[in-house]
Structures are given as C-alpha cells and as structure tokens.
Amino acid sequence: MPIRKSIIFGIAGLLILSILPLFVGRYVLLVFIIAYMHILLASSLRISLNAGQLNFGIPAFMAIGAYGSALLMMKLDVPWIVAFFAAGLLSALVSLIIGYPSLRLKGVYFLILTWGFVEVIRMLAIRWRELSGGPTGLFGVPPVSLAGIELTSRASQYYFVLFVMLVILFAQYRLEHSRFGLTLKSISQAEGLSETVGINTYRYKIFAFAVSSFFVGLTGSLY
C-alpha cells in the first residue's frame, strides 16, 4: 500500500510540475529551474556521502563544469550536447587529480582540503579575467540548441531542466541500488570490515568522488 501511494503522489507531482508554466510567470519558473539544479547538486553529493566522504568541493566542480562548457561553446563552437557531457568529464577528471591524494585523508582533513580547493577555483575565476570574465562572469554564452531548435523561452528551459533532472535522478537511483552503490554503503558503515572481505575501499572512494563530480559538472553546464 505505501508503494502504491508513493507512485500516485509521484505521478500527481509530475503532472503539477508539467503544467506549472501555464499558471506562473518567468520569475517563478526561474526559481524552479534554480531549485532543480540545487536538487541535482544535493543528489550528487549523496554519492560521496554513501562512501563516507563529506565533500565541500561541490561549488568548485560546478564552476569547472559551467566555465568548461561555456568556453567550449564560445571559443570552439562546440555543440551544446557535446559541451554538456564534456563538462561532466572535465569535472570528473579534475576530481581524480584532486581525489587521488586527498582521499587518503579522513575526517576534517579531507574537508579542509576540499574547502581549500573551492577557494582556489574561486580566486582563479575572479582574477583570470581573460578566461572567466572576472567577477562579472561570461557574456554571450550560446543558448541550448537541440536538433537546431534553440531553447530561448523560459518555459522551454524549464521543461528541459526538469527533464534532465528526472533523467539524472533516475540514473543516480539505479546507481545507488546497484552492487556498486551497496558496496559504497558498506564502506561508510564499516570500512574496516569491508577491507577484510577484499574490497578496495580507496578505489571505490575515488570512483564515487569522480562520479559525484561528473554529475555536478553536468549541473554546472545547465547553469
């Protein structure tokens, strides 16, 4: 019975969200778009949390994805869909470089390192004006274009971000309930016991860190 109620409430919620643009203005739609992006950030952080790692570096990887995809489109005329996935891959690559040494740390030391990484990215974004545009950011970023159709209206952007959010949330749900996701949970609950049964906890943590950063980079591209 509870499962049936969850399905009913879920379908009703999706119906309400799908007809929302018919009843609200541009500003309210923008608020919902930003809320959907924050949902993606929170769900992406959950992947690291399942491995027992609280990651303060989420804003940095979002910035890497955002600037990476924008610059690819502006400087190299890369199609949006290519820049979108490239943003995720770039964030994941940087996370591997950062995570390889940092994930050997535990507790507050890992938090301090990721926090420091955020400050490094923030200072680069502010001071490297030729690349990032400085405090004012980048102007003239091309709109999302799918099959030659540009998503310039607020309603089209709303539906697109809603669709991407649902797809990513479904992918993360399947990942969490896969063997990989269950292994991550075992590491967070009993890391020492996981190691005694032959699980390479360090490798799993790095992979979880990279997967989490990949989804954060995609969210940065949407932003």
Side-chain angles (χ1 to χ4, degrees), residues 64-200:
I64 291 171
Y67 279 109
S69 69
L71 290 171
L72 283 174
M73 295 171 66
M74 295 174 66
K75 304 295 185 180
L76 301 178
D77 292 327
V78 173
W80 180 85
I81 190 64
V82 176
F84 177 66
F85 287 104
L89 293 174
L90 179 61
S91 296
L93 177 61
V94 175
S95 73
L96 289 175
I97 298 173
I98 299 298
Y100 185 78
S102 64
L103 285 172
R104 296 186 183 275
L105 305 175
K106 296 183 179 181
V108 68
Y109 301 103
F110 176 74
L111 294 180
I112 292 174
L113 193 147
T114 55
W115 191 359
F117 178 62
V118 172
E119 285 300 302
V120 170
I121 297 299
R122 185 179 71 86
M123 293 305 297
L124 284 174
I126 291 175
R127 297 182 179 276
W128 198 351
R129 295 177 179 271
E130 295 81 4
L131 184 70
S132 66
T136 58
L138 296 174
F139 291 92
V141 179
V144 175
S145 179
L146 298 175
I149 301 175
E150 293 186 349
L151 306 183
T152 54
S153 69
R154 186 69 75 213
S156 64
Q157 294 168 357
Y158 169 86
Y159 283 120
F160 179 71
V161 174
L162 175 62
F163 173 76
V164 173
M165 180 191 71
L166 293 175
V167 171
I168 292 179
L169 288 179
F170 178 74
Q172 291 176 347
Y173 173 82
R174 294 301 302 267
L175 181 65
E176 183 172 333
H177 290 80
S178 66
R179 183 173 181 177
F180 171 75
L182 295 177
T183 303
L184 292 183
K185 291 182 179 179
S186 73
I187 293 174
S188 64
Q189 295 174 4
E191 184 174 348
L193 181 60
S194 299
E195 291 176 347
T196 60
V197 297
I199 296 176
N200 189 331

Side-chain angles (χ1 to χ4, degrees), residues 15-54:
L15 288 175
I16 293 173
L17 293 178
S18 63
I19 63 175
L20 190 66
L22 300 177
F23 301 98
V24 300
R26 287 171 51 86
Y27 176 75
V28 176
L29 290 180
L30 178 60
V31 171
F32 271 88
I33 289 173
I34 295 175
Y36 294 157
M37 292 180 186
H38 281 82
I39 289 173
L40 288 177
L41 293 177
S43 64
S44 300
L45 176 61
R46 180 180 172 87
I47 299 174
S48 292
L49 289 175
N50 284 339
Q53 297 287 350
L54 179 57

